[in-house]
Amino acid sequence: HSVTLSDYYIGRTEVTQELWQAVMGSNPSYSGFKGAKNPVNEVSWNDCQDFIRKLNSLTGGSFRLPTEAEWEFAARGGNKSRGYKYSGSDYLGSVAWYKDNSGYMVYPVGSKSPNELGLYDMSGNVDEWCADWYDSYPSSSQTNPTGPSSGSRRVLRGGFYGVAADCRSADRSGSDPTISYGSSGLRLAY
């Protein structure tokens, strides 16, 4: 279906453990994945909302999680898209840490090649929470879609250290917003 989006900004990388620590005063990341420049992980959707509220309070900003449509448009390279299967390439190893090259670890953000918009790690490294509740897509054209108004699972995008299919720009999953996983992190939008 056709989707139209208004202008928005999205982070070049995932939120790092260093930034999370500076805002929240602690680092919830899985002990085996610790590193200041590594993406924060093991955070629930609800944890992300707490982080964003505190970040906005500290900075006077209007940061938020991207909608699923915003996330996918950015991952696909926006208006500069070359139609790649993964975010920035048809060769996953050049743009992502995933099962075949990660050793089941996370790595410093931005250590692989970016996509057409200069965004890093939209395929692989950690799953990224989106603002939307998870459900089937509507078949009609949409403008600035925000997903259903309620549900039991929130959207995760990007793929973690799983198989290549999980890292496709089109791949999506959903999870309970109260549960944190070693694979779950976030990217900011505004």
Side-chain angles (χ1 to χ4, degrees), residues 2-157:
S2 173
V3 173
T4 302
L5 296 172
S6 297
D7 290 343
Y8 65 99
Y9 293 94
I10 193 164
R12 290 184 63 176
T13 69
E14 310 97 317
V15 169
T16 62
Q17 293 176 32
E18 179 177 55
L19 177 57
W20 188 282
Q21 174 82 36
V23 172
M24 301 300 283
S26 63
N27 181 356
S29 299
Y30 174 69
S31 61
F33 296 167
K34 296 274 188 180
K37 301 296 184 195
N38 289 353
V40 69
N41 59 82
E42 205 157 325
V43 292
S44 70
W45 187 91
N46 289 347
D47 294 336
C48 294
Q49 298 307 306
D50 292 341
F51 169 79
I52 289 168
R53 275 191 291 279
K54 191 163 185 185
L55 178 64
N56 286 336
S57 175
L58 290 169
T59 65
S62 57
F63 297 102
R64 59 183 174 79
L65 289 176
T67 65
E68 183 177 16
E70 290 170 336
W71 190 97
E72 185 170 338
F73 183 71
R76 290 180 178 273
N79 291 328
K80 297 180 179 182
S81 178
R82 294 187 188 133
Y84 295 130
K85 184 176 187 177
Y86 308 106
S87 184
S89 179
D90 285 329
Y91 174 64
L92 185 56
S94 68
V95 294
W97 294 108
Y98 73 111
K99 180 183 175 191
D100 290 354
N101 68 0
S102 70
Y104 297 101
M105 300 293 293
V106 298
Y107 290 86
V109 301
S111 57
K112 290 287 187 172
S113 296
N115 74 0
E116 299 93 324
L117 295 175
L119 305 175
Y120 294 87
D121 303 316
M122 294 200 81
S123 291
N125 223 6
V126 294
D127 288 320
E128 299 176 21
W129 289 106
C130 293
D132 310 44
W133 289 105
Y134 183 88
D135 203 352
S136 299
Y137 293 132
S139 58
S140 60
S141 295
Q142 303 282 305
T143 299
N144 297 320
T146 57
S149 59
S150 64
S152 61
R153 299 180 299 156
R154 293 285 185 171
V155 173
L156 283 161
R157 299 296 295 258

